[in-house]
Amino acid sequence: MKKVLDKQPYQTIENNTGLSRVSLFILITNLCENLSFFGIAAILPTFYITKFGFGALETTQLNSLFFSLCYLTPLITPYFSDKIFGYYKSILFFGLFYLFGLGLCLFSFLINIENISYLIFFIGLYLLVVFGSGGFKTILVIFGADQFLNKQFDTTSQQTSFFRWFYWSINIGASFSYLFLSNLSTNGYKFISSKNGYFASFLIIFLSFFIGMISFISGSRNYQISGPSGSSLGEILKIFYFTGKQSFEGRMILFSIVTLVPVYFLIAISYFFRGQIQGICSIIGMLLILLSIILITFYASKSNWVISAKKLPNGVYSETQIDEVASVVRLLPIFGFAIMYLAIYSQMSTNFVIQGCQMDIRLFDGEYQLNATSLSAFDSLAIILLVPFFDKILFPFYFRFFGKNPTILQKIGAGFVVSILSMIVAGFVEIQRKNSPFIDYNLTTMPLSDKEIRDYDSRFCNPQNITDLTLPIYCSNDMIKLGCHCQNIENHSYLTGCTNQPMMNYSIWIQSIQFILIGISEILAMTAAYELFYHQVPPKLRSASQVLNILTPCFGSIVAGGLNTIFRFWIKNNINDGKLEFMYFMIAIIMTLNTFFFIIVSQKFKYLPLNDDTVVKEISLIVT
């Protein structure tokens, strides 16, 4: 491994060939990490249902909790990257926690004592993987973009392109996970039995991240490596608190940010309660989040209250430090608006899954059931196929036609609009799904051989270790939690393997439209967010700035889970008895209002120059 060479901010690479070679190592690492991360995302929904026996609501809540925790841990990342290790060593540090956590999840399958096995799995996933993945994701993108820094040439366009290809590599890994691992986990593959599907999937997840770490280390001799920058999130927060308490606007911002932290835990804790307590906690939490976003949007859009702290006599902090914090504060409204967008993004791993599970997921005349999480691959495939189109055709065409490139916020706004369309499509798909007939499965109770029991169990119920020689095809209501989890439906409908609920005669492939629309929105909004939180702050604050970017999925997931809890009467274990379409349309309405106010605020946003040497000098002029 290459050691830190000096304490200068960056070294320079003299040729573009070196830049391309370095990028390849980082993109491969990113691909492998996201194959692992989204492999977990693809497996968890059915894993919780079939192995732990959780219902649809509990599954969506635990999924939301996992994702939100992964994107909350970056709060502590700048302390390690800016204060102790620097970017390179921090990636290795968080990567080891990540790898060890995946190892514990894999090891839990080898423990025969059920409660201990579950405990090991949850420690590995919700502590070590959560801690490691949050830090790893935050720093890798910054470290990758920093490889393009060259004082002799303007490499801004290369960095912008890198962000798109970085996001492209994320979705290569995600595609494999949703297409292959999700189905391997529930159905097995060739010599891998369905009984061992989850173990095999976690083994691939572990090995993928291990290969990613090897790829990252292999490129060490070519990297630009710098030591700790000396800045940390803690110091930024101290300056932020100092400047904030000097004015009413600052105190409102402080109140809104301080409120978000306990609200997050309030909603997360509500997942473990039932009845009125859960609903009350979620309602209070969502109202406080709404209040915080409104205050952040209103008071942070103009950060001159930060600059005014320079006028205080005997200032504790220098004017440069105050200017730097002001550059981060002006991004807070974008953070607020992005939360609702990420709540839509979270639908792919929550409500889209339970919706897809009760569509026609049969393949090969019913011999095989597609895992509903596989449809997320259409989101990833849309990104894989369309990123080159946007990068090489659409954006260059836009430049030739308008004489300028679209601004970062214009791309984010366009992504918001496309996400609204995805919710509207999802709502109408749900209406059509519910209006479709059940899929009949006309069998009666009959004696079956051991092989027939295993075949039936694999095809229609997922493995339940059934040992009876007679398998009841039609179960009464009091047998809802036994055997195949059959439900007594009037026309004896075909049961879906992922939620053990009736399957409707409406093809799951229709869902691909809503996934593709979200994929397009990601190309526009998420890659632009990488640009925004990288280029619009001074270099030494980029890790702290990326924390804001990474935190948006955290609060987006928790908002999605909170909405599901508040409107849980729309989401039943059998969603035919609920109103899931109302949830989609409500989210579309909220996002429309969110986008409207985003457009208003974005008109007042002023961009900093992209030259690192002049960005700090321009901050006070821009924010005032």
Side-chain angles (χ1 to χ4, degrees):
M1 300 180 191
K2 186 175 180 179
K3 296 182 178 180
V4 176
L5 297 181
D6 53 44
K7 297 296 181 180
Q8 296 301 317
Y10 304 100
Q11 302 161 32
T12 60
I13 293 178
E14 302 296 337
N15 58 74
N16 290 332
T17 304
L19 292 173
S20 299
R21 186 171 61 250
V22 169
S23 296
L24 183 61
F25 288 112
I26 294 173
L27 293 178
I28 291 175
T29 302
N30 190 47
L31 186 157
C32 292
E33 186 274 325
N34 281 281
L35 189 153
S36 299
F37 184 78
F38 286 102
I40 296 171
I43 291 171
L44 283 187
T46 54
F47 183 75
Y48 285 141
I49 291 172
T50 59
K51 294 298 183 182
F52 291 176
F54 295 147
L57 179 61
E58 292 86 353
T59 297
T60 59
Q61 290 172 334
L62 283 172
N63 274 356
S64 295
L65 181 62
F66 171 71
F67 281 105
S68 62
L69 285 174
C70 285
Y71 294 117
L72 181 67
T73 51
L75 277 173
I76 60 175
T77 300
Y79 176 77
F80 294 96
S81 63
D82 297 345
K83 204 75 175 175
I84 301 178
F85 298 129
Y87 293 149
Y88 176 79
K89 290 184 178 179
S90 293
I91 291 172
L92 297 177
F93 172 77
F94 286 108
L96 289 176
F97 275 92
Y98 201 157
L99 190 65
F100 186 55
L102 293 175
L104 278 184
C105 291
L106 185 63
F107 178 69
S108 70
F109 286 89
L110 305 177
I111 304 298
N112 294 324
I113 304 174
E114 188 174 88
N115 290 338
I116 295 179
S117 173
Y118 290 171
L119 178 63
I120 292 174
F121 179 84
F122 278 110
I123 289 175
L125 187 67
Y126 283 91
L127 288 180
L128 299 181
V129 171
V130 158
F131 176 77
S133 65
F136 195 89
K137 287 177 178 292
T138 304
I139 302 171
L140 187 64
V141 63
I142 305 170
F143 184 77
D146 279 356
Q147 303 310 306
F148 290 86
L149 291 173
N150 192 311
K151 295 181 180 179
Q152 298 179 9
F153 307 101
D154 181 8
T155 57
T156 302
S157 61
Q158 289 176 292
Q159 288 175 323
T160 299
S161 183
F162 168 78
F163 289 128
R164 283 196 284 270
W165 288 104
F166 185 87
Y167 205 75
W168 181 85
S169 65
I170 288 175
N171 286 276
I172 291 285
S175 294
F176 178 85
S177 296
Y178 286 121
L179 284 173
F180 181 70
L181 293 184
S182 63
N183 290 292
L184 172 66
S185 63
T186 55
N187 297 291
Y189 183 73
K190 292 186 177 180
F191 60 89
I192 301 173
S193 68
S194 56
K195 182 179 179 180
N196 295 319
Y198 285 108
F199 174 78
S201 297
F202 270 99
L203 178 60
I204 293 173
I205 287 170
F206 174 83
L207 292 176
S208 173
F209 188 73
F210 179 77
I211 293 170
M213 290 293 291
I214 296 298
S215 172
F216 180 76
I217 294 171
S218 299
S220 298
R221 67 171 59 186
N222 301 306
Y223 295 147
Q224 299 185 68
I225 299 178
S226 63
S229 65
S231 178
S232 73
L233 186 62
E235 292 179 2
I236 294 171
L237 292 176
K238 288 179 183 178
I239 300 172
F240 181 73
Y241 174 74
F242 170 77
T243 56
K245 67 182 182 180
Q246 310 299 329
S247 65
F248 174 78
E249 295 91 339
R251 288 192 290 272
M252 289 296 97
I253 297 294
L254 289 174
F255 167 79
S256 63
I257 291 177
V258 170
T259 300
L260 283 175
V261 177
V263 164
Y264 169 87
F265 289 104
L266 178 66
I267 295 178
I269 291 171
S270 75
Y271 293 166
F272 300 96
F273 292 95
R274 292 294 174 263
Q276 289 185 343
I277 295 178
Q278 185 183 51
I280 291 172
C281 289
S282 295
I283 290 172
I284 293 174
M286 294 300 292
L287 288 175
L288 288 174
I289 286 178
L290 177 61
L291 175 62
S292 296
I293 291 174
I294 291 173
L295 291 175
I296 288 173
T297 302
F298 186 77
Y299 288 111
S301 57
K302 289 187 177 181
S303 51
N304 51 356
W305 54 271
V306 182
I307 300 298
S308 63
K310 294 179 181 180
K311 300 177 182 178
L312 295 174
N314 300 320
V316 179
Y317 301 102
S318 69
E319 292 189 3
T320 299
Q321 288 177 307
I322 292 174
D323 285 339
E324 290 172 343
V325 171
S327 71
V328 177
V329 169
R330 56 197 277 277
L331 301 180
L332 287 176
I334 313 303
F335 163 78
F337 286 119
I339 289 175
M340 194 61 215
Y341 169 73
L342 270 299
I344 290 180
Y345 175 83
S346 297
Q347 300 303 305
M348 292 192 295
S349 60
T350 54
N351 290 334
F352 282 11
V353 175
I354 62 174
Q355 180 187 41
C357 276
Q358 289 190 239
M359 299 173 76
D360 187 353
I361 59 176
R362 298 174 300 167
L363 296 175
F364 311 117
D365 296 325
E367 291 293 327
Y368 182 80
Q369 284 190 13
L370 183 72
N371 191 313
T373 58
S374 300
L375 268 290
S376 291
F378 280 98
D379 164 77
S380 300
L381 289 172
I383 294 170
I384 292 169
L385 295 175
L386 293 178
V387 159
F389 171 76
F390 277 78
D391 193 54
K392 304 298 183 182
I393 299 174
L394 184 61
F395 288 136
F397 174 80
Y398 184 98
F399 180 82
R400 286 195 298 270
F401 190 80
F402 292 101
K404 60 180 180 180
N405 290 314
T407 67
I408 295 174
L409 295 187
Q410 284 174 342
K411 288 184 281 189
I412 292 176
F416 285 2
V417 171
V418 177
S419 72
I420 295 169
L421 295 178
S422 72
M423 288 296 96
I424 295 172
V425 169
F428 282 110
V429 166
E430 178 61 12
I431 291 172
Q432 287 297 109
R433 188 200 64 80
K434 290 171 66 175
N435 289 335
S436 300
F438 291 111
I439 298 174
D440 292 335
Y441 186 65
N442 296 313
L443 287 179
T444 59
T445 301
M446 63 182 75
L448 298 175
S449 67
D450 287 344
K451 182 178 186 305
E452 287 172 323
I453 290 173
R454 287 194 300 271
D455 289 344
Y456 178 89
D457 195 27
S458 174
R459 288 166 56 195
F460 309 128
C461 310
N462 284 335
Q464 302 292 332
N465 297 320
I466 294 173
T467 57
D468 297 337
L469 292 181
T470 300
L471 182 66
I473 302 301
Y474 304 132
C475 305
S476 59
N477 287 332
D478 60 321
M479 296 177 69
I480 190 69
K481 294 184 181 299
L482 300 177
C484 287
H485 296 250
C486 296
Q487 187 167 347
N488 185 16
I489 302 186
E490 251 182 28
N491 60 355
H492 310 297
S493 69
Y494 195 103
L495 299 181
T496 177
C498 51
T499 59
N500 303 305
Q501 298 296 340
M503 190 186 296
M504 314 306 289
N505 193 10
Y506 192 59
S507 175
I508 192 173
W509 302 114
I510 301 297
Q511 259 198 329
S512 63
I513 300 173
Q514 61 210 55
F515 281 99
I516 290 171
L517 287 172
I518 289 185
I520 294 172
S521 75
E522 290 177 61
I523 296 173
L524 293 164
M526 287 195 169
T527 59
Y530 281 130
E531 290 183 66
L532 182 74
F533 289 95
Y534 182 87
H535 283 308
Q536 292 300 307
V537 295
K540 70 178 183 179
L541 296 187
R542 281 172 180 159
S543 61
S545 176
Q546 283 298 328
V547 167
L548 280 180
N549 188 25
I550 298 295
L551 277 177
T552 51
C554 164
F555 285 99
S557 293
I558 212 70
V559 165
L563 288 174
N564 277 359
T565 302
I566 293 173
F567 299 99
R568 60 192 181 279
F569 45 82
W570 287 344
I571 305 174
K572 306 291 185 179
N573 285 341
N574 179 0
I575 58 174
N576 292 330
D577 300 329
K579 296 287 184 182
L580 186 58
E581 68 274 18
F582 286 4
M583 176 66 75
Y584 290 139
F585 291 142
M586 183 191 67
I587 292 174
I589 291 171
I590 295 173
M591 189 62 193
T592 300
L593 293 173
N594 186 75
T595 304
F596 173 77
F597 289 109
F598 169 80
I599 292 172
I600 294 175
V601 171
S602 65
Q603 300 300 313
K604 302 176 183 178
F605 188 86
K606 295 181 180 179
Y607 294 90
L608 292 173
L610 301 182
N611 187 323
D612 289 344
D613 294 331
T614 60
V615 64
V616 177
K617 301 175 184 178
E618 298 290 331
I619 292 173
S620 60
L621 297 177
I622 293 293
V623 298
T624 54

